[in-house]
Amino acid sequence: MSIRVLLVDDHPLFREGLATLLQARGMEIVGEASNGVEALNQARALKPALILMDVNMPQMNGLEATRLIKTEMPETKIIILTV
């Protein structure tokens, strides 16, 4: 069984590259989001096991999105990725 992953970053090229790497290692990319609002909505709908989250994004940053997601879905693992 593969790990269900949601990718959250406002740079599409970075998300694409990360998706390619993770899929090559057997992970299932169930969704992508470009800001914290989309991340929250995608997490609610898709119930990923793991979210890779950028910090600096428009509308809602990754820290606020992480706080909201963990409140609703404490079992979801979130890894913060940022430059």
Side-chain angles (χ1 to χ4, degrees), residues 2-22:
S2 64
I3 298 173
R4 296 172 44 84
V5 180
L6 172 63
L7 302 178
V8 184
D9 193 288
D10 57 334
H11 296 95
L13 188 59
F14 180 75
R15 288 194 318 264
E16 183 181 322
L18 192 54
T20 299
L21 288 171
L22 295 174

Side-chain angles (χ1 to χ4, degrees), residues 3-71:
I3 298 173
R4 296 172 44 84
V5 180
L6 172 63
L7 302 178
V8 184
D9 193 288
D10 57 334
H11 296 95
L13 188 59
F14 180 75
R15 288 194 318 264
E16 183 181 322
L18 192 54
T20 299
L21 288 171
L22 295 174
Q23 288 169 331
R25 284 155 182 78
M27 295 186 185
E28 177 186 5
I29 307 305
V30 295
E32 296 184 15
S34 62
N35 61 59
V37 174
E38 289 178 9
L40 180 58
N41 291 331
Q42 292 276 4
R44 287 173 175 156
L46 301 171
K47 306 285 192 260
L50 174 65
I51 299 174
L52 299 179
M53 178 86 70
D54 186 19
V55 173
N56 296 315
M57 297 180 292
Q59 295 186 31
M60 180 192 302
N61 70 43
L63 298 177
E64 181 63 20
T66 296
R67 187 171 19 264
L68 294 170
I69 292 167
K70 290 301 282 184
T71 298

